[in-house]
Amino acid sequence: MNFRESESYLLSLGNEVAAMKLGLENIRTLLHELGDPQNNYLKIQVAGTNGKGSVCAFVGSICREAGISTGIFTSPHLVSVTERIQIYGRPITEDEFAVYADKVRDASENLLADGRIEYRPTFFEQITAIALTAFAGAGVRLAILETGLGGRLDATTAARAEIAAITQIDFDHQEYLGQTLTEIASEKAAIIHDSSAVVVGGQNQEAGTLIRKRLAQLGIEARLGDDVAVEADGSGIRFTTAFDRYEASRLGLAGRHQIENAKVAILLAETLSSYFTVSSHNISAGLANAHHPGRLERQGRFLFDGAHNAAGAAALRAYLDEEIRSSLTIVFAAMREKDIAAVADRLFPKASVLVLTSPDNPRAMPAEELAEFAVGHSDQLSVYLTDRVRDALDIAQELTPGDGTILITGSLYLVGEAKKILNN
């Protein structure tokens, strides 16, 4: 298969969320058929509701500064599926992707034909296997794996990472993970096994209690983000741990909420120092040079942020309150299963113009249905509807003053489609 053929095959497997099948037996069998590539390198697995991708970006940046050959697997992608698999800080090429996708497809189809698996591996199972196989092929020494959904039954958990990190846990994907924070935290904390080295970011009381219970059951003492002291002023930001002190003029990722993610990344980097040479300078420089597309990312007058749940929207709102002084237009879209009311209540009051749209995704809510969530705010803003993202961008640019900001938010799928349109 060439790249387009491999991409089409993966898409034919169905939407990665709507068609997913949670469980580890299939992916474990597939990885074994591929020679268990995940056993060729050290692994960090990051789970949580918000901040997973940012922690991966910070740690990846630190590893580049330290000269550690590293692979990073994240999801979803914005423009190209190759973005999900980074080696040495760059997405793999389309040709490389096609080679590994072909290998994983052949293994999947052979297993299915022989009756050794019950169903054809899903999009996310196969893309996970592609990443783990590509990392082995490139000879990386470390793989950083962002959990897709939950943790206990997520395909990335089949890699059995030696180091586990849990970022902030909040409500999201309740239809899969449970209706309480205890249930959600239980799914995510399940990535911790009896030989894990563990880092835990700041948590609310309910999630924190569950994680502590899991650690106690396994007899593991975790390193806690809450134990990292932070000082910030006009000259920069300083982090002090039990082992060292790190200083950066700024964080490479924007937003006050990134301080918590940086704490987790620092503790992970210190954990890695048991395996690799990681200096305090590497950590400081890595924090300053990190980049994470689609998360408070500026491109001219456009600001991209994939805030898709209540906690993400709260972090975005805090950033808007601190940083945006000019006119604000919001282009907004969301997936049907999200808590749209909570996101809308935090973000819509900041806008003078609101453009509701729908990206090309079967889970996307039509603009007409999104309009119901704008009713309570319609007295202070102008609302426009279109089911074409291209038209939404045209409307936003026409109605926003030259010094104004256009915020693209509500879904990373919207962010990706908008970036693709604008950059082409």
Side-chain angles (χ1 to χ4, degrees), residues 45 69 140 330:
Q45 183 181 1
S69 57
V140 305
I330 293 180

Side-chain angles (χ1 to χ4, degrees), residues 155-400:
T156 56
T157 303
R160 195 171 170 82
E162 293 84 358
I163 303 170
I166 309 291
T167 65
Q168 178 198 35
I169 293 175
D170 212 314
F171 288 104
D172 202 7
H173 295 296
Q174 289 97 307
E175 67 274 29
Y176 302 108
L177 304 181
Q179 297 301 315
T180 69
L181 285 178
T182 296
E183 291 173 321
I184 295 170
S186 178
E187 290 293 316
K188 296 179 185 295
I191 72 167
I192 303 170
H193 52 79
D194 55 6
S195 58
S196 297
V198 182
V199 173
V200 179
Q203 303 292 340
N204 58 60
Q205 183 175 357
E206 191 173 346
T209 298
L210 184 284
I211 294 171
R212 287 191 295 273
K213 181 179 179 181
R214 171 72 173 172
L215 293 169
Q217 289 172 339
L218 296 172
I220 293 173
E221 185 173 345
R223 302 196 63 196
L224 306 178
D226 286 343
D227 292 337
V228 181
V230 180
E231 302 172 71
D233 54 35
S235 65
I237 183 166
R238 292 164 292 282
F239 299 88
T240 303
T241 72
F243 298 100
D244 211 336
R245 179 181 171 92
Y246 311 96
E247 183 171 357
S249 59
R250 59 173 179 79
L251 294 179
L253 306 184
R256 188 176 297 275
H257 61 286
Q258 293 294 355
I259 291 175
E260 293 302 315
N261 297 325
K263 290 180 180 180
V264 175
I266 289 168
L267 295 180
L268 286 171
E270 289 186 340
T271 302
L272 287 176
S273 65
S274 297
Y275 303 89
F276 310 105
T277 300
V278 183
S279 71
S280 58
H281 173 74
N282 296 150
I283 294 175
S284 296
L287 294 176
N289 295 328
H291 179 59
H292 195 197
R295 283 75 168 182
L296 287 178
E297 179 190 12
R298 274 281 188 180
Q299 183 176 317
R301 68 197 303 206
F302 289 92
L303 175 65
F304 302 98
D305 192 78
H308 59 268
N309 56 37
L316 174 56
R317 174 60 185 267
Y319 175 84
L320 297 175
D321 288 343
E322 289 186 9
E323 302 294 337
I324 303 300
R325 298 288 179 264
S326 58
S327 171
L328 179 67
T329 295
I330 293 180
V331 178
F332 183 86
M335 300 297 106
R336 287 186 176 276
E337 70 275 8
K338 298 298 181 179
D339 186 357
I340 300 171
V343 177
D345 288 345
R346 286 167 171 81
L347 299 182
F348 289 2
K350 289 295 292 184
S352 55
V353 174
L354 175 65
V355 186
L356 303 175
T357 189
S358 181
D360 183 18
N361 187 295
R363 294 163 48 226
M365 180 174 284
E368 291 76 11
E369 294 182 36
L370 285 176
E372 299 176 12
F373 297 94
V375 170
H377 310 286
S378 57
D379 56 341
Q380 101 276 342
L381 54 75
S382 301
V383 181
Y384 299 82
L385 311 180
T386 173
D387 279 330
R388 280 170 44 94
V389 173
R390 184 178 298 276
D391 293 341
L393 296 175
D394 289 341
I395 293 169
Q397 292 183 87
E398 179 180 347
L399 297 176
T400 305

